Amino acid sequence: DLHSFPTRRSSDLDALQTLEDASVIAFDKTGTLTQGRPELTDIVLAPGADEASVLSSVAAIETLSEHPIATAIARAAEDRALSVPQVADFTSITGMGASGSVAGQQVLVGADRLMRREGIDISTLSEAATRLAKQGRTPVYAAIDGAAVALLGVADPVKPSAGPVIAARHAKGLRVAMI
């Protein structure tokens, strides 16, 4: 009963009353339905690439970035107890990724559009990127010295409580949308 909230202002009660007539409920995904802390979920290597070496170099770049996806990649290297080398000439490329020199190699990390802009051939990893994107993961490419070496998948894990919450809304006849 909405009137059991005597300390609420009438505008609050009006808003709650209006919700009783709603047929769709929209949730903000990040932090509401998900953990709010992205994690590295996948590493797809190009032929000849070494996972530990690639992740170490990529983490070196990502350690200098404050982006949540970068933080997830850096944390994955730390969780695996990988040595993360120093970076020279770090450059953040707004909305696309970052680059720098790691152990004398030029490392580029970011979106497919950054790789295309820099002339990096990502065709061997494109199919995996499509698969990851369909699974709700963010594909992040890594290139070393001008060659694509890996595709990393990053996702924000769904909270265990999200499924039952959504199912309960469906059981009440509500449609659920995610923002």
Side-chain angles (χ1 to χ4, degrees):
D1 177 29
L2 294 177
H3 299 292
S4 67
F5 299 100
T7 60
R8 298 272 188 206
R9 296 185 322 251
S10 66
S11 62
D12 290 341
L13 289 175
D14 291 343
L16 289 171
Q17 186 68 44
T18 301
L19 283 176
E20 285 187 354
D21 299 327
S23 61
V24 177
I25 187 167
F27 288 99
D28 176 24
K29 176 187 72 128
T30 305
T32 303
L33 299 177
T34 65
Q35 300 286 347
R37 182 181 159 174
E39 295 179 3
L40 178 65
T41 57
D42 303 87
I43 300 176
V44 179
L45 298 170
D50 173 71
E51 183 173 315
S53 175
V54 167
L55 184 55
S56 179
S57 294
V58 170
I61 298 294
E62 298 294 55
T63 298
L64 299 176
S65 175
E66 295 179 4
H67 194 282
I69 290 174
T71 302
I73 294 169
R75 193 172 48 248
E78 181 181 310
D79 291 346
R80 295 172 188 192
L82 295 177
S83 173
V84 177
Q86 295 292 314
V87 176
D89 302 320
F90 174 81
T91 303
S92 177
I93 306 159
T94 305
M96 287 198 233
S99 68
S101 179
V102 178
Q105 297 179 307
Q106 189 59 33
V107 179
L108 185 65
V109 182
D112 57 350
R113 61 189 176 280
L114 174 61
M115 298 297 150
R116 283 192 298 272
R117 184 186 92 170
E118 297 298 316
I120 308 291
D121 179 11
I122 57 173
S123 61
T124 59
L125 300 168
S126 295
E127 186 177 311
T130 300
R131 179 180 47 80
L132 291 177
K134 286 181 180 178
Q135 294 172 345
R137 298 173 183 159
T138 300
V140 178
Y141 290 90
I144 296 178
D145 288 339
V149 292
L151 175 71
L152 298 98
V154 178
D156 189 0
V158 174
K159 286 182 180 178
S161 61
V165 167
I166 292 171
R169 298 314 173 266
H170 283 159
K172 290 184 177 191
L174 292 169
R175 286 188 9 223
V176 177
M178 186 171 58
I179 299 171

